[in-house]
DNA sequence: TATCGTTTTAAACGTTTGTTTAAAATTATT
DNA sequence: AATAATTTTAAACAAACGTTTAAAACGATA
């Protein structure tokens, strides 16, 4: 994966790629369109030629980014797999995504907090927190007596919290435990099993 | 608790109180010193008279805020209580703090992400993620064979994640589950037991 | 009452911000 | 080759930002 935009890309893609890198790194407000233009080696005015505004550019990038990862996660939750298998796959896939994109969680949170009312109603955003048929399946298993009577909402939030939160305090974890980048990655890989076992333990009778 | 600064406060406290409200609500960059001054009904220049800069004002507020809540949490972790009791108390106290201050977690994250290198080395910040004698105690219990062989670091991160993360996506939880403010509070109160039981289940032999 | 240090004020400072303009350069179409 | 449409450019726009200035108002001290 390239950090900077290559010269043979279209201008529009150069802008999007460079802007994404900067938005992830420094957030929306601390990233100026002048810095985007400089790093992408294009004129400032082109930013408003292709995208109408900075806000528009951001929304475009945000949608692309979510659209890239949510379908895979949603398809796991909506699949006809047994519950335990589903949980295992979801945890592994989600952590793999975040290992490739450690800043993603905080990025989404920053978007959410900048404009909560608008964002929570965005389709592309809702799909990120869409449980698919997960809750229904969960209730069914409870009714059948296969698993403990646990609130699916609490369970899903547990799962999300355990997977995503560590990435938002990555620097703290690394600093406190004197971890290198590689050690952190290994820690998160180990975490897949920790989380899966923990979650299944809470529902197993 | 007052949302706005009262007239009988000192100028310095009026600034700090108003600024805190705005920083929590809109973040550092989206809060202008002009808005702070307007809402606190003071002159802009007073901001630089009492605090030397906006950054300085922010640091002052941030330290006060952490200093208000971390001692209580640290004293629980450092107490001579048995492990299970400690976990229960910590979860309850932390959630109670965040119920009174729902924006606190995201606020801390935003500070961390704005200046990770500087912040992770701040004493007041480290104390927030200080485990006290918790890890030592944890290892002791493992060695004695009283609890399962679980990595204390993973465990502590589990605990932190389960407690704090839901507050960072409060709006999403409320929107998705059609919760009112009160329902959310109730949900988080119920969560105290959910988390405690979950954590203890993972270490109980 | 005069003098002192402290607090508050209005006004301006220089930068930076996102955005727009209008002309130039390039590419595509006929 | 001439024209039209698209893309890129340099320059400027107005607004907002954090910060500073220097004088006025205030309260305490002598």
């Amino acid at each position: 994966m390239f950090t900077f935009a290559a010269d043979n890309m279209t201008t529009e893609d150069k802008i999007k790629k460079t802007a994404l890198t900067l938005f992830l790194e420094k957030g929306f407000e601390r990233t100026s369109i002048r810095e985007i233009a400089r790093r992408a080696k294009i004129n400032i005015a082109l930013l408003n030629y292709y995208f109408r505004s900075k806000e528009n550019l951001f929304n475009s990038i945000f949608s692309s980014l979510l659209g890239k990862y949510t379908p895979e996660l949603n398809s796991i939750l909506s699949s006809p797999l047994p519950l335990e298998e589903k949980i295992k796959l979801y945890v592994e896939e989600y952590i793999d995504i975040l290992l490739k994109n450690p800043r993603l969680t905080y990025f989404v949170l920053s978007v959410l907090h900048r404009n909560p009312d608008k964002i929570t109603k965005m389709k592309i955003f809702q799909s990120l927190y869409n449980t698919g048929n997960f809750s229904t399946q969960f209730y069914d298993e409870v009714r059948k007596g296969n698993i403990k009577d646990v609130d699916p909402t609490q369970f899903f939030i547990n799962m999300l919290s355990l997977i995503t939160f560590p990435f938002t305090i990555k620097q703290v974890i690394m600093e406190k435990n004197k971890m290198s980048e590689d050690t952190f990655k290994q820690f998160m890989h180990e975490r897949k099993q920790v989380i899966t076992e923990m979650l299944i333990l809470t529902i197993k009778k």
Side-chain angles (χ1 to χ4, degrees), chain A:
Chain A
M1 195 152 81
F2 295 102
T3 307
F4 295 100
D7 284 340
N8 60 352
M9 297 173 81
T10 66
T11 306
E12 196 173 339
D13 283 344
K14 272 200 283 186
I15 294 172
K16 283 185 92 171
K17 188 150 201 151
T18 310
L20 173 60
T21 304
L22 287 169
F23 284 148
L24 282 170
E25 191 184 314
K26 322 182 15 168
F28 179 77
E29 9 269 331
R30 278 160 47 89
T31 300
S32 70
I33 59 166
R34 278 176 176 79
E35 186 172 6
I36 297 171
R38 202 184 327 122
R39 295 266 287 260
K41 289 170 185 169
I42 54 106
N43 192 285
I44 329 168
L46 284 177
L47 254 145
N48 287 67
Y49 174 74
Y50 285 101
F51 310 90
R52 292 197 320 282
S53 66
K54 183 191 178 187
E55 188 76 41
N56 223 49
L57 166 64
F58 183 86
N59 289 337
S60 168
I61 286 172
F62 182 66
S63 298
S64 305
L65 192 60
L66 286 202
K68 192 173 168 186
Y69 298 118
T70 47
E72 176 73 12
L73 291 174
N74 284 339
S75 78
I76 292 173
L77 291 184
S78 305
S79 72
L81 288 167
L83 202 64
E84 290 195 10
E85 192 68 20
K86 213 175 255 197
I87 293 165
K88 187 171 177 289
L89 273 181
Y90 187 80
V91 171
E92 287 174 355
E93 176 65 26
Y94 210 148
I95 287 187
D96 279 336
I97 290 172
L98 294 181
L99 276 171
K100 280 183 233 146
N101 252 288
R103 304 189 116 104
L104 192 58
T105 301
Y106 177 74
F107 183 69
V108 171
L109 289 183
S110 72
V111 176
L112 173 62
H113 281 252
R114 192 183 321 124
N115 207 337
D117 296 332
K118 183 185 148 204
I119 299 293
T120 48
K121 270 147 199 159
M122 274 178 63
K123 259 195 179 173
I124 191 74
F125 184 82
Q126 285 171 344
S127 70
L128 186 64
Y129 296 95
N130 198 8
T131 49
N133 63 2
F134 187 80
S135 297
T136 322
Q137 185 178 12
F138 205 96
Y139 274 125
D140 284 350
E141 297 291 320
V142 169
R143 194 170 354 96
K144 286 181 200 158
N146 293 339
I147 60 171
K148 275 196 252 177
D149 187 7
V150 174
D151 178 9
T153 304
Q154 293 276 12
F155 184 88
F156 192 73
I157 291 174
N158 289 343
M159 188 158 66
L160 270 187
S161 305
L162 292 166
I163 295 168
T164 63
F165 186 71
F167 286 95
T168 68
I169 56 163
K170 184 186 168 200
Q171 289 92 343
V172 180
I173 295 175
M174 286 175 65
E175 170 76 20
K176 252 198 85 66
N177 302 282
K178 304 290 168 205
M179 290 182 187
S180 65
E181 280 287 339
D182 281 347
T183 317
F184 178 79
K185 275 184 186 163
Q186 198 196 323
F187 180 79
M188 288 311 299
H189 275 299
E190 286 167 13
R191 212 171 150 68
K192 290 177 186 172
Q193 205 187 329
V194 171
I195 296 175
T196 306
E197 282 179 359
M198 189 171 179
L199 288 171
I200 289 175
L201 196 61
T202 58
I203 55 171
K204 213 158 202 168
K205 271 195 161 165

